[in-house]
Each structure stands twice: as C-alpha cells, then as structure tokens.
Amino acid sequence: MAGKTLYDKLWEQHVVKERDDGTALIYIDRQLLHEVTSPQAFEGLRIAGRKPWRLDANLATPDHNVPTTSAERESGIAGIQDPVSRIQVKTLDENCDEFGITEFKMADKRQGIVHVVGPEQGATLPGMTVVCGDSHTATHGAFAALAHGIGTSEVEHVLATQCLIQRKMKNLLIRVDGELGAGITGKDVVLHIIGVIGTAGGNGTAMEFGGSAIRSLSMEARMTMCNMAIEAGARVGMVGFDDITSEYVKGRPYAPKGEQWEMALAAWKDLVSDDDAVFDKVVEIRAEDIKPQVTWGTSPEMVTTIDGTVPTLADAADEVQRSGFERAYQYMGLTPGQKITDIKLDRVFIGSCTNSRIEDLRAAADVAKGRKVAGSVKQALVVPGSGLVKAQAEAEGLDKVFIEAGFEWREPGCSMCLAMNADKLGSGEHCASTSNRNFEGRQGYGGRTHLVSPAMAAAAAIAGHFVDVREL
Amino acid sequence: MKPFTVHKGIAAPMDRANIDTDMIIPKQFLKSIKRSGFGPNLFDELRYLDEGQPDADNSGRPLNPDFVLNQPRYQGASVLLARENFGCGSSREHAPWALEDFGFRAIIAPSYADIFFNNSFKNGLLPIVLDDATVDRLFKAVAANEGYELTIDLAQQKVITPDGEEIPFEVDAFRKHCLLNGLDDIGLTLQDADDIRAYEQNRRQQAPWLFGA
C-alpha cells in the first residue's frame, strides 16, 4: 500500500464520522476569532439558544479594525475614531465576555494579528486542525497542522459543534529543491510559485511545500509561504514537521510541557508525508531560479522579477489573460515593457499576517539601518504583527533603526494590508507592500499595490523606486 | 436559509476572470455586525463612480453606466454568469450575503474559489459549475437576447434555456438536500453529538495537551 501524505494523515486523524455522500464530519482542535467575521456567528448562537461546544478550543483577538497610532490606542476602544470600527471591536469584547471565550483585547500585550498570535502563543500546534474566519488561516499549516479559512456560517458551526462538514481535497506537492540565493526570502519563493501555477493553480487542493529549500527555511518564512497558499487558490498550505518546528513551539505559553511535551513530540514526528506517498500533482521548482519578486498587476499571479519588465500582451497565455492584462495596465498606471525598477513608490507598508514577524522586521531593519527613506515617499509604515513582536523588536533596537531612517513605527494590527482602519492608500498611489493581495482597491480606493518581501520593501522606501536588494 | 427548488430569472454576464471578494464587496462594508443589507454595495467599486462608505445612503451616488448590472436590460437579474475562479480571495461570507441581498439566487461559472463556493451554499445561493464551452455559449446567448432568462431546477440538476435546452450540472448530495429544504446544517450536525463526544474522549487520551488550557 502506498504511503500517506501529511494531509492524508491529518485528515484521517480528525474524521469523526464519514457520510455516504463522500463528505465527513471533521473535528476542529482550534478556532481563532477576530472582530470582522465573528459577530454574525455569535448572533446566530444567541438566536438559536446555543452555547459554544468547547470554550478552551477558541482564542480571540481584534486585529482588522484596530488603529495603529499610539495616540488612538492609548484611550482603548473609545479612542477608535471610526464609529463603525469601534462598534465591531466592542462587539467582539462583548461576545467573548458573554460566552466566556479567552480574548487578547486591544490593550493586551499579546494582542495582534490572529495569524501571528496563534503560533506565537503555541495556540497553533503540530497535528491540529485550525480554522478561522479568514482565508489566511492557511498560515498555520507551517506547523504541520491542517489549517484553513472558513466563512461566518462555519465559524458558527464550529462554535456550536466543534466540527465542520468537509470533503477531502486533492494532494498537491510543491517541491523546491536546491539552495536559495542570498537575499531570497520565503516571500520571493511563494510569489514565484504563484507566478508559475497561477492564482487558481491550487484550487481544490491541500498544498504541501517540500524539498530541500523548504527544509532550510525558518518557521517565519514557512508561515509566509503557507499564508499565501490561498493566493494560489489552495485553502490549505502545509510544511512537514521537523526540528525547526519543535524548536519554535517549545516553551510557548499554550505548548505542552514536561511529560506531555515528550508525548506530543513522539506523535508529531510522524507529521510528514511518507517517502512513498502519492500526490495527485507535483510541481517542481529549482531554488536557484528564484530572484526577488515584485507584482506588477492586480492579481498575485501578475508577478515578475526585480530585473524584469511589465509583460506585454504577447506574453498573455490566452484571451482571458489578455483582457486581464489590459485592465491591470490601466488600473496600475503602467505600460507594457516598462522596467520594474522604474516604478516609483508613494508609500511603503511593512506588516500584515504575511510579513510582520520578528524575522521580517529584522530583515527590513538591516536594509534601513543608516539609510533614509526617500523624500518622494509620502509614508513608510512598519506595523508589527503583535504586541509581543513589537516588544521584541524594541528590545533589539529595531524601532530606533526604523524611526531614524524615517519610517513610522506603529502599534500591532492588520493595518494597510486591507485598509479597514485609518491606514490606507490614496487613489493612484503606488505602494511597495509586504502583504498578500494586490487586488483593485485592496489597500484603499484606487490604490496600486506591489507585493514584495520586507527587505525589498525597505529598499524601495530608501530608493523611492524598486531596487534589487541584492545590489545594495 | 431560504430553500432553493426551481428558480427562473434574467441572467447577467460578468465577463471577467478571477473576480475577487474585494471586488464583490469592498472591505469597508465588512465593518457591519449584521448579515443583511449588503446588496446596495455589491460590486461597489465597479458599480459606482465614487467611493462607497458603510452605513451611508447609496441612492444619490453616481452610477457607472458601463457596469453591466447598471444597464437597463439586466435590471432584476437573479442569475449571474461569470468566468473562471469566481470569488477568489478572502473568506468573507459578506460576498455571498451581498450577492443574495442584491437578488441573485444562482451563479454559473466554469470554476469558483473553494471558500466562496462553500459559503454560497450556506446562504441559499447556488453556485453551478458548467464547462468553459457551455459558459461561453451562454455568454453569447445572453448578449444576443435581451431579457434572456434561465431556469434552474435543483431537484433535476438542470439549467434550462429559453429554447428548452436542458444542461445538466453536478451538486453534492448533502448540499443539495440542505438547499432544497432550506436546512440549517448545525442542527443536522448536532444529531451526531454522541459521535463527536466519543471522538473527543478518544482524542483527549491520545493528545491530552490539546485540552483544558
């Protein structure tokens, strides 16, 4: 019998009941909650007179709407200027209090972006099923967990039953072998992959990242990659368990301790795809082929290399892509054949659930150190992923590096990744952003997003246009 | 949830691949704590010429005359014809809420993003998958015939064109059952509460570190 993939194993371990129609009831070990996709779920529980099935499986924190200036943060929820945002954050507090769910509230040092907070607390553990009403829940798969985003109806379903009705997906392996060049990060690897397989390339699959290049990556880099599996259409991104995983998890507040740690470790060692596992599809990528990536268009698959140019219509694969290119040129204000290094930036955003962890901030600070943000750049924001990331960065003096270079050092939250708070792009502005989506209007009405790694974003802030971080 | 049995309505074409959830309902409207009232802001950035604000009156806003749903011939449309990878991007259920609130009951496209597809069924909105060539043919038929109406018979799993052509489609048996009867699947899952408890007891022994923090 053929071996099993990591996904096969995680799936089998969580089947409560198989149904005749090929779906199964799957048990959920952890649900993360935030203010945007949970209010209607709690309201649903109230209307039906239901209680959460298991309180300790849930952990909440507000992130999407929270302001990131210290002035607004100092007076707590009352300090949120936007009344609609204020109600949403307040509603999360009220719901968590009413139902008895642990929440890291806005003033808590542990507050931050759910996908940064979960792993940081050890609330995300290998072998778990993790869900959240947010598509970037794929992030947690970096821990050899089965993690994916769900809608609000399913948030309510998990609150009420601790289960989800699921159909098993197909197995997709993205194998990256070889050695990554200097200055190439997890962000560049995943953007390169999306460029190869396209934004729908992973639809209907659980996407595992494997190969020697992935094994050498830190947990932060693996989280960045799994985070963006959804931008390639895969709800689930995953990396097999190894020593790097256990090193990261060990000692975290929610991680097992003592005897249970040993027990867990023994169980987790099997959380890898077997050597003879059969995947429905395998995509092979050579690490040496990957250069720093920059998106030029309005879909993450519209990506090229720093030494590249905006593609021409002749580069489009078909009629559908051709019309997509035409719309993107117009929206982005770019011309076919234009050099990427000629794109001038109005704003720079370093943050988001993709790239706001300590390693990301260190990489950006390395570039910023002793340099100045270009005068033509209106704003360069650094938004740490959590209060604890912020504290760690400050302990290392990174905040001073950024401030001296002319960056703004902010409080934790989702911020300009999706501009639900006050941090947003003006119409027509170009932004070098370490976030995950370059959709039209994503970072602000009419805003133009270019996705890059933290080091590339910092370099672009200094130069005022895109530059190859390897040549600094 | 509203049951879905047979639906007949005007088809409107969204001739663009990779329609993302930010396009379907921009983020500022996600600040609502309700699950209704998103219809006026469906496709907000494509539909209006200015920037929409949550909780604002949309009646006086300048409409984009080029946007398909603003054209007189598609007024009252309830079947959306779309291209591949419809609904990609975020997990916001506000996307199907907005489509449903606007008046759509079904979507026809060659493919959907997984989370959007799943979310639609929970809201009485039927996402139908038809092959590229068939979808292409429907786009042409809609363009050529004003007031082109499609009938969708979920029980029979058929899309029926005005000239009587019957196009079969696939749908999961469980989802079909829920949609036909307008069932709340939480209630159905809770019928298996004993199985969930048994699983949980077993798991607690195998992985005690997952419990009781």
Side-chain angles (χ1 to χ4, degrees):
Chain A
M1 205 177 100
K4 290 173 184 168
T5 65
L6 171 58
Y7 174 60
D8 294 337
K9 293 178 186 181
L10 290 167
W11 172 269
E12 283 170 18
Q13 287 170 15
H14 290 88
V15 172
V16 171
K17 189 179 183 177
E18 282 178 327
R19 296 173 190 254
D20 300 338
D21 65 347
T23 61
L25 202 57
I26 293 292
Y27 190 80
I28 303 302
D29 296 308
R30 173 73 66 205
Q31 172 152 256
L32 300 167
L33 297 153
H34 63 84
E35 79 277 20
V36 180
T37 55
S38 67
Q40 299 87 349
F42 283 114
E43 185 63 16
L45 287 187
R46 263 191 296 269
I47 290 168
R50 291 176 175 133
K51 294 249 173 292
W53 179 277
R54 219 189 104 194
L55 287 173
D56 68 318
N58 296 283
L59 180 63
T61 192
D63 55 6
H64 285 63
N65 277 280
V66 300
T68 60
T69 60
S70 42
E72 271 189 285
R73 286 289 275 264
E74 267 161 15
S75 21
I77 288 180
I80 303 177
Q81 298 292 315
D82 178 345
V84 197
S85 289
R86 190 163 62 230
I87 289 170
Q88 202 168 51
V89 174
K90 192 162 161 271
T91 303
L92 179 67
D93 283 9
E94 288 167 356
N95 283 327
C96 290
D97 290 347
E98 177 188 336
F99 288 98
I101 287 169
T102 303
E103 182 197 2
F104 299 156
K105 294 191 163 99
M106 219 171 80
D108 194 308
K109 269 270 176 258
R110 299 167 295 179
Q111 177 272 339
I113 306 172
V114 279
H115 308 309
V116 175
V117 170
E120 182 174 79
Q121 289 296 320
T124 300
L125 292 172
M128 272 184 166
T129 38
V130 181
V131 296
C132 173
D134 190 289
S135 60
H136 292 111
T137 309
T139 309
H140 308 266
F143 291 84
L146 176 54
H148 59 81
I150 55 178
T152 298
S153 294
E154 288 188 323
V155 171
E156 184 183 340
H157 196 281
V158 174
L159 279 169
T161 70
Q162 212 53 48
C163 290
L164 279 179
I165 301 158
Q166 297 281 290
R167 177 177 289 277
K168 200 173 173 211
M169 296 178 279
K170 289 196 179 335
N171 280 291
L172 169 62
L173 175 64
I174 310 280
R175 190 161 55 218
V176 189
D177 280 317
E179 227 171 290
L180 293 169
I184 305 301
T185 66
K187 184 64 164 285
D188 300 300
V189 180
V190 73
L191 282 171
H192 176 85
I193 291 167
I194 296 165
V196 171
I197 70 172
T199 191
N203 278 9
T205 72
M207 182 185 284
E208 180 177 344
F209 299 106
S212 58
I214 306 298
R215 294 265 71 92
S216 69
L217 290 176
S218 67
M219 282 316 295
E220 284 89 345
R222 293 176 187 184
M223 283 188 257
T224 300
M225 291 193 60
C226 291
N227 174 278
M228 289 192 71
I230 186 68
E231 309 321 330
R235 276 203 302 166
V236 167
M238 286 179 304
V239 176
F241 180 85
D242 61 15
D243 290 345
I244 293 174
T245 327
S246 63
E247 275 307 306
Y248 183 97
V249 171
K250 197 173 185 180
R252 298 201 175 254
Y254 283 69
K257 313 243 162 10
E259 209 176 293
Q260 286 200 357
W261 170 259
E262 296 305 325
M263 195 178 168
L265 210 52
W268 294 343
K269 287 204 163 118
D270 188 45
L271 295 174
V272 290
S273 288
D274 296 331
D275 290 338
D276 58 345
V278 178
F279 287 84
D280 297 286
K281 192 178 171 192
V282 178
V283 176
E284 295 190 22
I285 306 270
R286 274 166 38 97
E288 290 78 7
D289 291 345
I290 305 173
K291 296 177 182 177
Q293 304 283 309
V294 181
T295 65
W296 62 269
T298 52
S299 163
E301 70 181 15
M302 294 175 176
V303 63
T304 186
T305 53
I306 182 64
D307 56 359
T309 54
V310 174
T312 65
L313 288 178
D315 298 318
D318 53 34
E319 192 46 46
V320 171
Q321 196 173 58
R322 206 180 144 88
S323 65
F325 277 18
E326 281 176 329
R327 256 188 303 263
Y329 298 146
Q330 194 190 12
Y331 182 84
M332 295 297 289
L334 298 174
T335 46
Q338 184 177 347
K339 283 167 77 175
I340 294 300
T341 48
D342 286 347
I343 299 173
K344 294 188 173 52
L345 284 325
D346 301 289
R347 292 181 202 265
V348 173
F349 172 60
I350 297 171
S352 87
C353 59
T354 314
N355 280 127
S356 64
R357 298 178 182 84
I358 190 68
E359 177 184 285
D360 302 316
L361 302 188
R362 286 177 189 146
D366 263 354
V367 172
K369 195 168 183 141
R371 297 188 169 106
K372 291 279 181 211
V373 171
S376 56
V377 173
K378 294 175 200 163
Q379 184 181 47
L381 281 184
V382 185
V383 186
S386 72
L388 295 178
V389 169
K390 180 168 185 264
Q392 172 72 29
E394 287 173 353
E396 296 178 18
L398 305 185
D399 56 327
K400 291 195 180 60
V401 172
F402 285 121
I403 292 164
E404 275 165 25
F407 288 84
E408 294 176 35
W409 179 246
R410 295 291 188 90
E411 299 294 323
C414 298
S415 181
M416 205 191 271
C417 172
L418 84 169
M420 276 189 76
N421 70 351
D423 310 332
K424 54 185 78 166
L425 299 183
S427 191
E429 290 181 341
H430 286 268
C431 177
S433 177
T434 66
S435 56
N436 41 58
R437 288 191 178 130
N438 51 352
F439 297 157
E440 289 180 17
R442 170 82 179 180
Q443 292 193 287
Y445 185 74
R448 294 162 170 169
T449 303
H450 301 276
L451 305 175
V452 288
S453 73
M456 283 287 288
I462 306 299
H465 57 87
F466 286 114
V467 286
D468 192 334
V469 70
R470 299 170 302 178
E471 289 166 7
L472 283 182
Chain B
M1 186 172 81
K2 241 193 265 178
F4 189 114
T5 49
V6 178
H7 175 77
K8 185 177 183 184
I10 293 176
M14 280 289 285
D15 196 0
R16 181 168 179 173
N18 301 315
I19 297 273
D20 60 67
T21 53
D22 280 80
M23 247 181 255
I24 298 172
I25 182 85
K27 69 261 166 192
Q28 63 268 37
F29 306 108
L30 275 49
K31 295 178 187 184
S32 169
I33 57 170
K34 296 180 295 201
R35 63 191 306 158
S36 58
F38 296 100
N41 301 109
L42 174 72
F43 297 120
D44 199 86
E45 292 185 6
L46 301 172
R47 191 165 153 197
Y48 300 97
L49 293 170
D50 64 350
E51 184 179 1
Q53 298 301 334
D55 286 350
D57 178 17
N58 297 288
S59 57
R61 295 178 59 199
L63 292 171
N64 176 1
D66 297 332
F67 182 59
V68 60
L69 297 181
N70 290 336
Q71 294 167 16
R73 62 183 290 187
Y74 299 119
Q75 294 314 299
S78 58
V79 178
L80 189 67
L81 201 54
R83 296 288 185 184
E84 65 196 42
N85 202 28
F86 186 87
C88 63
S90 90
S91 66
R92 61 187 71 163
E93 200 160 317
H94 313 68
W97 291 340
L99 286 159
E100 199 269 342
D101 196 58
F102 181 88
F104 284 111
R105 295 301 320 272
I107 312 171
I108 298 175
S111 63
Y112 300 87
D114 295 343
I115 303 178
F116 174 84
F117 187 72
N118 206 28
N119 284 342
S120 295
F121 281 100
K122 314 273 182 194
N123 294 283
L125 179 68
L126 175 63
I128 297 171
V129 179
L130 295 180
D131 64 76
D132 271 319
T134 308
V135 170
D136 219 39
R137 202 151 51 79
L138 289 173
F139 264 100
K140 292 198 174 91
V142 166
N145 303 285
E146 192 162 336
Y148 190 83
E149 283 191 311
L150 290 171
T151 302
I152 292 149
D153 185 333
L154 177 58
Q156 300 292 318
Q157 297 183 210
K158 280 173 185 161
V159 175
I160 304 157
T161 66
D163 49 15
E165 184 195 354
E166 297 187 347
I167 307 165
F169 63 86
E170 297 291 317
V171 59
D172 272 1
F174 179 70
R175 284 170 164 156
K176 177 179 171 180
H177 173 70
C178 289
L179 213 48
L180 279 172
N181 299 292
L183 293 176
D184 157 16
D185 60 1
I186 293 178
L188 291 174
T189 298
L190 286 173
Q191 290 173 4
D192 293 327
D194 289 344
D195 292 301
I196 302 172
R197 278 190 209 99
Y199 173 91
E200 217 164 37
Q201 205 171 11
N202 186 35
R203 183 132 181 95
R204 193 184 284 271
Q205 276 169 4
Q206 287 175 348
W209 60 88
L210 295 176
F211 293 82

